[in-house]
mmCIF file of all heavy atoms in Angstrom:
data_model
loop_
_atom_site.group_PDB
_atom_site.id
_atom_site.type_symbol
_atom_site.label_atom_id
_atom_site.label_comp_id
_atom_site.label_asym_id
_atom_site.label_seq_id
_atom_site.Cartn_x
_atom_site.Cartn_y
_atom_site.Cartn_z
ATOM 1 N N ASP A 369 -29.824 84.573 -126.955
ATOM 2 C CA ASP A 369 -29.771 84.523 -128.417
ATOM 3 C C ASP A 369 -31.148 84.658 -129.032
ATOM 4 O O ASP A 369 -31.283 84.903 -130.232
ATOM 5 C CB ASP A 369 -29.129 83.208 -128.842
ATOM 6 C CG ASP A 369 -27.720 83.069 -128.291
ATOM 7 O OD1 ASP A 369 -26.805 83.693 -128.851
ATOM 8 O OD2 ASP A 369 -27.555 82.363 -127.275
ATOM 9 N N GLY A 370 -32.175 84.503 -128.237
ATOM 10 C CA GLY A 370 -33.548 84.653 -128.703
ATOM 11 C C GLY A 370 -34.512 84.339 -127.580
ATOM 12 O O GLY A 370 -34.102 83.943 -126.485
ATOM 13 N N ILE A 371 -35.799 84.538 -127.839
ATOM 14 C CA ILE A 371 -36.811 84.152 -126.866
ATOM 15 C C ILE A 371 -37.857 83.280 -127.539
ATOM 16 O O ILE A 371 -38.005 83.271 -128.770
ATOM 17 C CB ILE A 371 -37.501 85.367 -126.207
ATOM 18 C CG1 ILE A 371 -38.476 86.043 -127.172
ATOM 19 C CG2 ILE A 371 -36.495 86.359 -125.667
ATOM 20 C CD1 ILE A 371 -39.484 86.907 -126.493
ATOM 21 N N VAL A 372 -38.599 82.550 -126.712
ATOM 22 C CA VAL A 372 -39.804 81.865 -127.155
ATOM 23 C C VAL A 372 -40.922 82.356 -126.253
ATOM 24 O O VAL A 372 -40.806 82.325 -125.026
ATOM 25 C CB VAL A 372 -39.644 80.325 -127.124
ATOM 26 C CG1 VAL A 372 -39.226 79.826 -125.758
ATOM 27 C CG2 VAL A 372 -40.923 79.647 -127.582
ATOM 28 N N ASP A 373 -41.988 82.856 -126.861
ATOM 29 C CA ASP A 373 -43.018 83.564 -126.101
ATOM 30 C C ASP A 373 -44.089 82.594 -125.622
ATOM 31 O O ASP A 373 -45.170 82.483 -126.190
ATOM 32 C CB ASP A 373 -43.635 84.670 -126.955
ATOM 33 C CG ASP A 373 -44.292 85.742 -126.096
ATOM 34 O OD1 ASP A 373 -44.582 85.447 -124.919
ATOM 35 O OD2 ASP A 373 -44.508 86.858 -126.580
ATOM 36 N N PHE A 374 -43.772 81.884 -124.532
ATOM 37 C CA PHE A 374 -44.726 80.940 -123.961
ATOM 38 C C PHE A 374 -45.947 81.674 -123.390
ATOM 39 O O PHE A 374 -47.044 81.112 -123.375
ATOM 40 C CB PHE A 374 -44.052 80.112 -122.866
ATOM 41 C CG PHE A 374 -43.242 78.949 -123.375
ATOM 42 C CD1 PHE A 374 -42.547 78.132 -122.495
ATOM 43 C CD2 PHE A 374 -43.178 78.665 -124.725
ATOM 44 C CE1 PHE A 374 -41.803 77.051 -122.949
ATOM 45 C CE2 PHE A 374 -42.433 77.583 -125.200
ATOM 46 C CZ PHE A 374 -41.743 76.774 -124.300
ATOM 47 N N GLU A 375 -45.775 82.889 -122.889
ATOM 48 C CA GLU A 375 -46.917 83.643 -122.392
ATOM 49 C C GLU A 375 -47.947 83.833 -123.495
ATOM 50 O O GLU A 375 -49.135 83.543 -123.319
ATOM 51 C CB GLU A 375 -46.474 84.998 -121.849
ATOM 52 C CG GLU A 375 -47.647 85.843 -121.342
ATOM 53 C CD GLU A 375 -47.261 87.261 -120.966
ATOM 54 O OE1 GLU A 375 -46.540 87.898 -121.761
ATOM 55 O OE2 GLU A 375 -47.685 87.719 -119.903
ATOM 56 N N ALA A 376 -47.498 84.318 -124.647
ATOM 57 C CA ALA A 376 -48.423 84.548 -125.763
ATOM 58 C C ALA A 376 -49.029 83.249 -126.259
ATOM 59 O O ALA A 376 -50.181 83.217 -126.701
ATOM 60 C CB ALA A 376 -47.693 85.262 -126.897
ATOM 61 N N ALA A 377 -48.282 82.152 -126.173
ATOM 62 C CA ALA A 377 -48.777 80.866 -126.666
ATOM 63 C C ALA A 377 -49.962 80.357 -125.863
ATOM 64 O O ALA A 377 -50.849 79.681 -126.409
ATOM 65 C CB ALA A 377 -47.657 79.836 -126.647
ATOM 66 N N LEU A 378 -50.004 80.659 -124.555
ATOM 67 C CA LEU A 378 -51.036 80.085 -123.685
ATOM 68 C C LEU A 378 -52.087 81.084 -123.210
ATOM 69 O O LEU A 378 -53.135 80.679 -122.692
ATOM 70 C CB LEU A 378 -50.393 79.448 -122.451
ATOM 71 C CG LEU A 378 -49.497 78.236 -122.665
ATOM 72 C CD1 LEU A 378 -49.089 77.641 -121.323
ATOM 73 C CD2 LEU A 378 -50.171 77.170 -123.520
ATOM 74 N N ALA A 379 -51.850 82.390 -123.357
ATOM 75 C CA ALA A 379 -52.738 83.393 -122.770
ATOM 76 C C ALA A 379 -54.094 83.427 -123.457
ATOM 77 O O ALA A 379 -54.209 83.233 -124.676
ATOM 78 C CB ALA A 379 -52.089 84.770 -122.829
ATOM 79 N N ASP A 380 -55.114 83.693 -122.680
ATOM 80 C CA ASP A 380 -56.473 83.905 -123.186
ATOM 81 C C ASP A 380 -56.537 85.315 -123.778
ATOM 82 O O ASP A 380 -56.335 86.294 -123.049
ATOM 83 C CB ASP A 380 -57.472 83.763 -122.032
ATOM 84 C CG ASP A 380 -58.920 83.896 -122.478
ATOM 85 O OD1 ASP A 380 -59.159 84.266 -123.642
ATOM 86 O OD2 ASP A 380 -59.811 83.649 -121.640
ATOM 87 N N PRO A 381 -56.806 85.486 -125.070
ATOM 88 C CA PRO A 381 -56.856 86.837 -125.649
ATOM 89 C C PRO A 381 -57.863 87.752 -124.947
ATOM 90 O O PRO A 381 -57.651 88.969 -124.886
ATOM 91 C CB PRO A 381 -57.253 86.583 -127.111
ATOM 92 C CG PRO A 381 -56.823 85.177 -127.384
ATOM 93 C CD PRO A 381 -57.024 84.444 -126.090
ATOM 94 N N ALA A 382 -58.928 87.173 -124.392
ATOM 95 C CA ALA A 382 -59.925 87.990 -123.700
ATOM 96 C C ALA A 382 -59.456 88.426 -122.314
ATOM 97 O O ALA A 382 -59.976 89.399 -121.764
ATOM 98 C CB ALA A 382 -61.238 87.207 -123.570
ATOM 99 N N ASN A 383 -58.508 87.731 -121.763
ATOM 100 C CA ASN A 383 -57.925 88.076 -120.461
ATOM 101 C C ASN A 383 -56.524 87.483 -120.406
ATOM 102 O O ASN A 383 -56.334 86.347 -119.977
ATOM 103 C CB ASN A 383 -58.778 87.529 -119.315
ATOM 104 C CG ASN A 383 -58.140 87.807 -117.948
ATOM 105 O OD1 ASN A 383 -57.175 88.565 -117.842
ATOM 106 N ND2 ASN A 383 -58.663 87.176 -116.915
ATOM 107 N N PRO A 384 -55.511 88.234 -120.852
ATOM 108 C CA PRO A 384 -54.157 87.686 -120.978
ATOM 109 C C PRO A 384 -53.509 87.271 -119.660
ATOM 110 O O PRO A 384 -52.437 86.673 -119.681
ATOM 111 C CB PRO A 384 -53.375 88.835 -121.630
ATOM 112 C CG PRO A 384 -54.398 89.702 -122.270
ATOM 113 C CD PRO A 384 -55.606 89.607 -121.394
ATOM 114 N N LEU A 385 -54.159 87.584 -118.538
ATOM 115 C CA LEU A 385 -53.590 87.180 -117.257
ATOM 116 C C LEU A 385 -53.878 85.714 -116.931
ATOM 117 O O LEU A 385 -53.291 85.163 -116.001
ATOM 118 C CB LEU A 385 -54.133 88.055 -116.137
ATOM 119 C CG LEU A 385 -53.830 89.551 -116.231
ATOM 120 C CD1 LEU A 385 -54.369 90.265 -115.004
ATOM 121 C CD2 LEU A 385 -52.345 89.786 -116.375
ATOM 122 N N ARG A 386 -54.759 85.089 -117.674
ATOM 123 C CA ARG A 386 -55.093 83.699 -117.376
ATOM 124 C C ARG A 386 -54.795 82.816 -118.580
ATOM 125 O O ARG A 386 -54.654 83.281 -119.719
ATOM 126 C CB ARG A 386 -56.565 83.562 -117.008
ATOM 127 C CG ARG A 386 -57.529 83.750 -118.175
ATOM 128 C CD ARG A 386 -58.964 83.513 -117.749
ATOM 129 N NE ARG A 386 -59.878 83.612 -118.885
ATOM 130 C CZ ARG A 386 -61.205 83.454 -118.806
ATOM 131 N NH1 ARG A 386 -61.755 83.207 -117.617
ATOM 132 N NH2 ARG A 386 -61.961 83.540 -119.881
ATOM 133 N N LEU A 387 -54.690 81.498 -118.328
ATOM 134 C CA LEU A 387 -54.552 80.533 -119.408
ATOM 135 C C LEU A 387 -55.829 80.500 -120.237
ATOM 136 O O LEU A 387 -56.932 80.609 -119.698
ATOM 137 C CB LEU A 387 -54.289 79.137 -118.847
ATOM 138 C CG LEU A 387 -53.003 78.895 -118.058
ATOM 139 C CD1 LEU A 387 -52.979 77.461 -117.532
ATOM 140 C CD2 LEU A 387 -51.774 79.173 -118.900
ATOM 141 N N LEU A 388 -55.686 80.352 -121.540
ATOM 142 C CA LEU A 388 -56.850 80.082 -122.369
ATOM 143 C C LEU A 388 -57.544 78.835 -121.827
ATOM 144 O O LEU A 388 -56.891 77.812 -121.603
ATOM 145 C CB LEU A 388 -56.415 79.856 -123.819
ATOM 146 C CG LEU A 388 -57.521 79.686 -124.851
ATOM 147 C CD1 LEU A 388 -58.227 81.021 -125.090
ATOM 148 C CD2 LEU A 388 -56.959 79.141 -126.159
ATOM 149 N N PRO A 389 -58.855 78.892 -121.559
ATOM 150 C CA PRO A 389 -59.516 77.731 -120.950
ATOM 151 C C PRO A 389 -59.278 76.422 -121.700
ATOM 152 O O PRO A 389 -59.173 75.362 -121.075
ATOM 153 C CB PRO A 389 -60.995 78.137 -120.967
ATOM 154 C CG PRO A 389 -60.956 79.632 -120.836
ATOM 155 C CD PRO A 389 -59.751 80.062 -121.643
ATOM 156 N N ALA A 390 -59.164 76.486 -123.017
ATOM 157 C CA ALA A 390 -58.931 75.260 -123.794
ATOM 158 C C ALA A 390 -57.565 74.660 -123.515
ATOM 159 O O ALA A 390 -57.318 73.485 -123.824
ATOM 160 C CB ALA A 390 -59.069 75.552 -125.282
ATOM 161 N N TYR A 391 -56.642 75.427 -122.926
ATOM 162 C CA TYR A 391 -55.293 74.958 -122.620
ATOM 163 C C TYR A 391 -55.100 74.657 -121.134
ATOM 164 O O TYR A 391 -54.036 74.189 -120.734
ATOM 165 C CB TYR A 391 -54.260 76.006 -123.025
ATOM 166 C CG TYR A 391 -54.151 76.269 -124.507
ATOM 167 C CD1 TYR A 391 -53.579 77.455 -124.976
ATOM 168 C CD2 TYR A 391 -54.596 75.345 -125.452
ATOM 169 C CE1 TYR A 391 -53.458 77.712 -126.342
ATOM 170 C CE2 TYR A 391 -54.484 75.595 -126.807
ATOM 171 C CZ TYR A 391 -53.912 76.782 -127.246
ATOM 172 O OH TYR A 391 -53.793 77.025 -128.587
ATOM 173 N N ASP A 392 -56.087 74.931 -120.318
ATOM 174 C CA ASP A 392 -55.954 74.872 -118.858
ATOM 175 C C ASP A 392 -56.241 73.454 -118.364
ATOM 176 O O ASP A 392 -57.310 72.891 -118.634
ATOM 177 C CB ASP A 392 -56.936 75.862 -118.229
ATOM 178 C CG ASP A 392 -56.696 76.082 -116.740
ATOM 179 O OD1 ASP A 392 -56.002 75.265 -116.110
ATOM 180 O OD2 ASP A 392 -57.218 77.076 -116.205
ATOM 181 N N SER A 393 -55.305 72.875 -117.613
ATOM 182 C CA SER A 393 -55.523 71.534 -117.065
ATOM 183 C C SER A 393 -56.513 71.527 -115.912
ATOM 184 O O SER A 393 -56.939 70.467 -115.463
ATOM 185 C CB SER A 393 -54.194 70.941 -116.579
ATOM 186 O OG SER A 393 -53.712 71.663 -115.455
ATOM 187 N N GLY A 394 -56.849 72.724 -115.409
ATOM 188 C CA GLY A 394 -57.801 72.822 -114.313
ATOM 189 C C GLY A 394 -57.263 73.522 -113.086
ATOM 190 O O GLY A 394 -58.036 73.993 -112.254
ATOM 191 N N ASP A 395 -55.932 73.600 -112.974
ATOM 192 C CA ASP A 395 -55.374 74.292 -111.813
ATOM 193 C C ASP A 395 -54.934 75.717 -112.140
ATOM 194 O O ASP A 395 -54.366 76.408 -111.306
ATOM 195 C CB ASP A 395 -54.213 73.502 -111.214
ATOM 196 C CG ASP A 395 -52.993 73.414 -112.127
ATOM 197 O OD1 ASP A 395 -52.996 74.012 -113.220
ATOM 198 O OD2 ASP A 395 -52.014 72.736 -111.740
ATOM 199 N N HIS A 396 -55.200 76.159 -113.371
ATOM 200 C CA HIS A 396 -54.916 77.530 -113.826
ATOM 201 C C HIS A 396 -53.429 77.866 -113.839
ATOM 202 O O HIS A 396 -53.070 79.037 -113.947
ATOM 203 C CB HIS A 396 -55.683 78.562 -112.983
ATOM 204 C CG HIS A 396 -57.131 78.234 -112.802
ATOM 205 N ND1 HIS A 396 -57.924 77.765 -113.818
ATOM 206 C CD2 HIS A 396 -57.939 78.285 -111.695
ATOM 207 C CE1 HIS A 396 -59.161 77.553 -113.365
ATOM 208 N NE2 HIS A 396 -59.181 77.852 -112.079
ATOM 209 N N LEU A 397 -52.594 76.837 -113.784
ATOM 210 C CA LEU A 397 -51.141 77.033 -113.827
ATOM 211 C C LEU A 397 -50.503 76.138 -114.882
ATOM 212 O O LEU A 397 -49.678 76.606 -115.675
ATOM 213 C CB LEU A 397 -50.539 76.724 -112.447
ATOM 214 C CG LEU A 397 -49.009 76.725 -112.339
ATOM 215 C CD1 LEU A 397 -48.454 78.118 -112.635
ATOM 216 C CD2 LEU A 397 -48.573 76.251 -110.948
ATOM 217 N N HIS A 398 -50.884 74.874 -114.892
ATOM 218 C CA HIS A 398 -50.269 73.909 -115.809
ATOM 219 C C HIS A 398 -51.160 73.694 -117.032
ATOM 220 O O HIS A 398 -52.376 73.510 -116.887
ATOM 221 C CB HIS A 398 -50.061 72.566 -115.110
ATOM 222 C CG HIS A 398 -49.134 72.646 -113.946
ATOM 223 N ND1 HIS A 398 -49.583 72.733 -112.639
ATOM 224 C CD2 HIS A 398 -47.783 72.672 -113.886
ATOM 225 C CE1 HIS A 398 -48.539 72.790 -111.829
ATOM 226 N NE2 HIS A 398 -47.436 72.765 -112.557
ATOM 227 N N PRO A 399 -50.581 73.679 -118.217
ATOM 228 C CA PRO A 399 -51.382 73.386 -119.407
ATOM 229 C C PRO A 399 -51.758 71.915 -119.496
ATOM 230 O O PRO A 399 -51.064 71.045 -118.953
ATOM 231 C CB PRO A 399 -50.455 73.786 -120.560
ATOM 232 C CG PRO A 399 -49.077 73.719 -119.995
ATOM 233 C CD PRO A 399 -49.194 74.039 -118.540
ATOM 234 N N ASN A 400 -52.861 71.650 -120.199
ATOM 235 C CA ASN A 400 -53.241 70.285 -120.507
ATOM 236 C C ASN A 400 -52.483 69.822 -121.755
ATOM 237 O O ASN A 400 -51.572 70.508 -122.241
ATOM 238 C CB ASN A 400 -54.760 70.173 -120.681
ATOM 239 C CG ASN A 400 -55.285 71.112 -121.769
ATOM 240 O OD1 ASN A 400 -54.520 71.568 -122.640
ATOM 241 N ND2 ASN A 400 -56.569 71.413 -121.739
#
Side-chain angles (χ1 to χ4, degrees):
D369 300 282
I371 74 161
V372 55
D373 202 341
F374 278 178
E375 179 188 46
L378 295 187
D380 183 351
N383 177 11
L385 299 183
R386 71 176 184 180
L387 296 177
L388 185 71
Y391 294 160
D392 191 343
S393 67
D395 67 3
H396 312 318
L397 173 63
H398 298 99
N400 57 20

